[in-house]
């Protein structure tokens, strides 16, 4: 309890009941002010007309002003300019009606100049006749809360802008069930919001059979990956899409998926494939008759002892052979795409096949030597031409990409289950990040030194497909500047049933 000088004096001078009463009242007031100064809120009092009368210590410290400075309308200076109009209007309303007042505004810290948000409340204090004699007001610091709310509002605004995107379909998935979807996704798939709310949108039910396994894998592994798939729309039609799933929670699985309509790209790809297939067929026929004509004319010239002319004609055979190989590869790629690459079944002496391929390649590329280590000493059942195509491709690549390293090595080894044939060069090598990509259709390494080497990125794609059809595997080990080793592993088991299994005559 705090005693003022006046209280002590009164107590000494008049020790009567009035003095005791006054003293008691004063003591109570002093105690009240002490409490009001101690609480972590701002407290102030206003006259009935709203002019400032008193503020607690906490408020005076924060605004760094004395009560005198806050008197009258001095307090307005500590308000954030953007809050003036609203605050004055609300205040005016309360003063006129006597209604309690509540408002959020920013007060300036008198020392730092920074503003913080406060929630202010004011109540009128009335006398026995109901007249307002004072206004009591408090303000609580709600700055943290306000800022959190603002961050949340901004992130909700961003999320809602994203959700309303009319380009990307967005769905929220719980387990297999789609629990929310934006209009774009509903439009893409033909479903309605009623379907969604009625639980009629299930990811697995909406996925075409070919993509069930990969969709299931994405849902169970809960990884963030982008993949292609097809949805079954409500009317049963198929929609080709690109999906990127982002997991949110582990149990039960919740995630967001962004879905992009991929049908235009797929259609374009199909048209490109159709064009390649048609163009390679159209080119192959006249080229075959051109080759036959050249051979015929060459034979006639030789019969007439016009050897120089026959020799000159031979010179066009090499570029025509290159053109032929290119067109054949294009045809093969088209066939692979359509799942129509034929394989014949015959018994193959692997060592003889490799020997032939090596001999041919050495004749064609005099600058390189191919050394074979080991032998298979076994026969395989499969398509001889296709197997030759594998090693011709690997050896011609080894030669092409090793202009300054003339030694090419071939290792042949067998185990009880596999025969492994490796082709090793000591040339340019392939950067690690491209090791998988080089087996993709039309992929070429982007290294400038390799760019100078002619090629179209079909060889390894065809090689990988043939090896796959044999039930085998192809791997690459390579280091830039040191060379590459391509290893083909073929299983030694009963003949594998290949596509169509036609028997070569
Ligand atoms: P192409 O040789 O016609 O470009 P391929 O499909 O045969 O097509 O090869 C794909 C890519 O792989 C090549 O562009 C090249 O970058 C890389 N590559 C293949 N073999 C080798 C090799 N032996 N050494 C270095 N790079 C190679």
């Amino acid at each position: 309890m705090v005693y003022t000088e006046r209280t002590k004096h009164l107590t000494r001078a008049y020790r009567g009941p009035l003095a005791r009463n006054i003293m008691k009242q004063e003591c109570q007031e002093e105690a009240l002010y002490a409490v009001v100064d101690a609480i972590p809120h701002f407290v102030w009092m206003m006259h009935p007309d709203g002019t400032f009368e008193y503020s607690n210590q906490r408020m005076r410290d924060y605004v760094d002003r004395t009560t005198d400075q806050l008197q009258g309308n001095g307090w307005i200076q500590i308000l954030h300019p953007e809050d003036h109009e609203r605050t004055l209007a609300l205040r005016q309303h309360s003063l006129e009606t006597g209604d309690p007042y509540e408002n959020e505004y920013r007060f300036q810290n008198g020392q730092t100049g920074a503003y913080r948000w406060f929630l202010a409340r004011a109540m009128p204090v009335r006398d026995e006749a109901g007249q307002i004699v004072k206004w009591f007001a408090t303000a609580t610091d709600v700055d943290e809360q306000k800022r959190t709310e603002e961050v949340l509002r901004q992130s909700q605004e961003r999320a809602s802008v994203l959700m309303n995107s009319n380009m990307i379909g967005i769905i929220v998935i719980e387990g297999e069930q789609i629990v929310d979807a934006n209009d774009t996704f509903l439009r893409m798939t033909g479903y309605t919001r009623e379907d969604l709310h009625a639980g009629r949108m299930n990811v697995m039910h909406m996925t075409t059979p070919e993509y069930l396994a990969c969709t299931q894998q994405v849902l169970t592994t809960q990884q963030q990956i982008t993949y292609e798939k097809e949805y079954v729309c409500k009317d049963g039609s198929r929609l080709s899409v690109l999906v990127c799933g982002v997991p949110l929670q582990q149990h039960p699985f919740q995630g967001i998926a962004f879905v992009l309509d991929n049908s235009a790209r797929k259609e374009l790809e199909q048209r490109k494939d159709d064009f390649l297939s048609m163009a390679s067929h159209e080119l192959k026929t006249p080229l075959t008759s051109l080759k036959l004509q050249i051979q015929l004319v060459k034979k006639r010239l030789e019969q007439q002892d016009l050897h120089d002319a026959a020799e000159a004609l031979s010179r066009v055979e090499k570029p025509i052979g290159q053109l032929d190989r290119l067109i054949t590869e294009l045809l093969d790629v088209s066939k692979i795409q359509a799942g129509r690459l034929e394989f014949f079944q015959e018994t193959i002496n692997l060592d003889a096949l490799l020997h032939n391929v090596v001999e041919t390649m050495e004749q064609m590329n005099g600058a390189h030597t191919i050394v074979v280590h080991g032998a298979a000493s076994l026969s395989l059942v499969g398509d001889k031409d296709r197997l030759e195509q594998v090693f011709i491709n690997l050896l011609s690549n080894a030669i092409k990409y090793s202009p300054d390293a003339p030694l090419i090595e071939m290792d042949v080894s067998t185990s009880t289950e596999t025969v492994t044939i490796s082709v090793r060069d000591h040339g340019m090598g392939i950067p690690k990040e491209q090791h998988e990509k080089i087996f993709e259709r039309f992929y070429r390494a982007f290294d400038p030194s390799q760019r100078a080497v002619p090629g179209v990125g079909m060889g390894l794609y065809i090689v990988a497909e043939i090896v796959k059809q044999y039930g085998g595997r192809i791997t690459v080990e390579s280091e830039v500047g040191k060379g590459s080793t391509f290893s083909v592993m073929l299983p030694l088991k009963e003949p594998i049933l290949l596509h169509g299994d036609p028997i070569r005559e």
Side-chain angles (χ1 to χ4, degrees):
M1 191 175 288
V2 183
Y3 291 84
T4 62
E5 280 310 306
R6 192 164 77 94
T7 313
K8 287 178 195 160
H9 172 72
L10 273 170
T11 315
R12 270 195 306 274
Y14 314 98
R15 294 179 188 268
L18 175 65
R20 276 198 299 276
N21 261 348
I22 292 172
M23 191 181 79
K24 196 173 159 198
Q25 200 182 334
E26 279 224 351
C27 287
Q28 281 172 347
E29 261 183 43
E30 292 291 337
L32 193 68
Y33 283 126
V35 170
V36 164
D37 278 341
I39 59 172
H41 305 270
F42 296 170
V43 178
W44 68 96
M45 265 187 301
M46 290 175 291
H47 297 293
D49 65 354
T51 49
F52 212 82
E53 187 189 335
Y54 161 84
S55 70
N56 70 343
Q57 187 65 42
R58 192 107 188 161
M59 181 167 179
R60 292 194 303 270
D61 287 349
Y62 176 83
V63 298
D64 202 24
R65 281 170 168 81
T66 61
T67 302
D68 281 348
Q69 286 171 313
L70 292 169
Q71 294 286 358
N73 288 329
W75 63 275
I76 295 181
Q77 286 158 21
I78 59 172
L79 257 192
H80 193 288
E82 283 173 19
D83 301 331
H84 277 187
E85 202 181 318
R86 177 171 36 89
T87 304
L88 289 174
L90 282 170
R91 187 171 174 278
Q92 191 55 36
H93 171 82
S94 288
L95 291 176
E96 278 167 18
T97 59
D99 288 346
Y101 159 96
E102 185 169 315
N103 186 20
E104 279 183 345
Y105 48 56
R106 284 155 286 183
F107 270 155
Q108 189 175 36
N109 183 312
Q111 280 171 10
T112 64
Y115 287 93
R116 289 182 74 83
W117 280 98
F118 288 85
L119 169 66
R121 290 197 177 99
M123 296 283 293
V125 180
R126 295 171 192 273
D127 61 14
E128 279 156 12
Q131 281 298 311
I132 297 178
V133 290
K134 267 185 205 320
W135 283 87
F136 260 114
T138 59
T140 309
D141 187 330
V142 290
D143 199 67
E144 285 292 314
Q145 187 188 330
K146 263 299 235 202
R147 283 180 207 279
T148 313
E149 273 170 20
E150 180 57 16
V151 170
L152 197 68
R153 192 194 59 75
Q154 282 180 9
S155 91
Q156 276 171 346
E157 193 179 306
R158 273 184 232 128
S160 118
V161 167
L162 195 69
M163 201 70 179
N164 293 328
S165 138
N166 56 8
M167 206 176 103
I168 308 171
I170 302 173
I171 49 179
V172 180
I173 305 167
E174 233 177 74
E176 290 181 3
Q177 199 64 32
I178 298 177
V179 292
D180 199 1
N182 69 350
D183 290 343
T184 309
F185 184 79
L186 295 176
R187 203 172 42 247
M188 277 157 84
T189 52
Y191 281 87
T192 61
R193 210 148 274 287
E194 290 76 62
D195 292 323
L196 177 76
H197 293 145
R200 285 193 286 270
M201 295 180 72
N202 178 294
V203 177
M204 296 308 277
H205 297 167
M206 288 172 64
T207 299
T208 56
E210 310 90 281
Y211 293 98
L212 278 176
C214 74
T215 304
Q216 183 68 59
Q217 199 191 350
V218 172
L219 288 182
T220 45
T221 54
Q222 304 179 9
Q223 285 169 342
Q224 181 176 340
I225 50 167
T226 304
Y227 64 108
E228 284 187 7
K229 68 176 275 183
E230 277 184 357
Y231 276 122
V232 188
C233 299
K234 196 178 177 185
D235 63 4
S237 61
R238 287 166 166 245
L239 177 75
S240 174
V241 290
L242 200 65
V243 182
C244 175
V246 186
L248 292 178
Q249 276 174 19
Q250 298 286 313
H251 301 294
F253 170 66
Q254 245 201 24
I256 293 189
F258 301 93
V259 183
L260 209 63
D261 186 339
N262 204 22
S263 41
R265 210 196 89 192
K266 279 279 165 189
E267 201 185 309
L268 206 68
E269 228 171 68
Q270 186 59 48
R271 242 185 283 161
K272 188 191 71 193
D273 287 348
D274 292 348
F275 169 77
L276 279 181
S277 163
M278 191 191 64
S280 43
H281 271 106
E282 291 298 313
L283 288 169
K284 185 81 180 169
T285 321
L287 193 70
T288 311
S289 71
L290 188 68
K291 265 170 36 187
L292 281 174
Q293 284 299 323
I294 289 175
Q295 277 171 11
L296 211 69
V297 174
K298 214 172 103 181
K299 214 172 186 174
R300 290 219 182 113
L301 289 174
E302 269 163 1
Q303 279 166 356
Q304 292 164 23
D305 285 336
L306 296 169
H307 298 294
D308 282 353
E311 175 73 28
L313 200 58
S314 301
R315 264 177 252 134
V316 298
E317 279 181 325
K318 192 174 172 196
I320 283 188
Q322 284 171 340
L323 200 58
D324 191 32
R325 266 195 302 283
L326 190 68
I327 293 169
T328 308
E329 283 195 341
L330 261 178
L331 265 175
D332 283 348
V333 168
S334 300
K335 286 179 189 166
I336 293 172
Q337 284 301 110
R340 283 190 286 105
L341 192 67
E342 331 77 30
F343 289 88
F344 294 97
Q345 292 276 45
E346 58 201 313
T347 307
I348 309 164
N349 179 331
L350 189 59
D351 291 326
L353 180 143
L354 293 176
H355 179 77
N356 279 343
V357 171
V358 168
E359 207 173 61
T360 317
M361 294 308 292
E362 274 191 329
Q363 275 169 13
M364 283 166 58
N365 307 277
H368 283 79
T369 310
I370 304 168
V371 177
V372 181
H373 306 285
S377 313
L378 52 84
S379 292
L380 287 175
V381 175
D383 188 311
K384 186 163 163 274
D385 289 351
R386 291 282 176 216
L387 211 52
E388 269 181 5
Q389 198 177 351
V390 167
F391 298 110
I392 288 174
N393 252 309
L394 293 180
L395 284 173
S396 63
N397 274 351
I399 292 167
K400 249 192 341 183
Y401 295 104
S402 312
D404 306 320
L407 176 66
I408 310 291
E409 291 165 280
M410 198 178 224
D411 292 313
V412 185
S413 62
T414 51
S415 69
T416 43
E417 290 175 351
T418 333
V419 55
T420 304
I421 306 106
S422 302
V423 175
R424 184 165 57 252
D425 66 60
H426 306 274
M428 300 172 180
I430 307 159
K432 193 154 181 53
E433 64 279 9
Q434 293 174 28
H435 286 189
E436 275 183 35
K437 288 198 169 293
I438 54 173
F439 296 100
E440 288 173 13
R441 189 167 57 132
F442 304 130
Y443 186 86
R444 298 210 72 213
F446 42 78
D447 189 274
S449 59
Q450 290 209 358
R451 281 269 164 232
V453 181
V456 284
M458 290 190 287
L460 287 181
Y461 174 68
I462 299 170
V463 164
E465 179 64 22
I466 297 174
V467 172
K468 194 170 106 192
Q469 289 297 333
Y470 272 87
R473 236 158 32 89
I474 178 160
T475 58
V476 60
E477 283 170 53
S478 183
E479 210 178 311
V480 174
K482 294 206 169 153
S484 314
T485 304
F486 284 86
S487 300
V488 174
M489 282 141 280
L490 300 173
L492 295 177
K493 50 185 178 190
E494 287 301 299
I496 308 141
L497 279 185
L498 304 169
H499 275 317
D501 273 358
I503 304 295
R504 203 195 295 274
E505 292 296 307

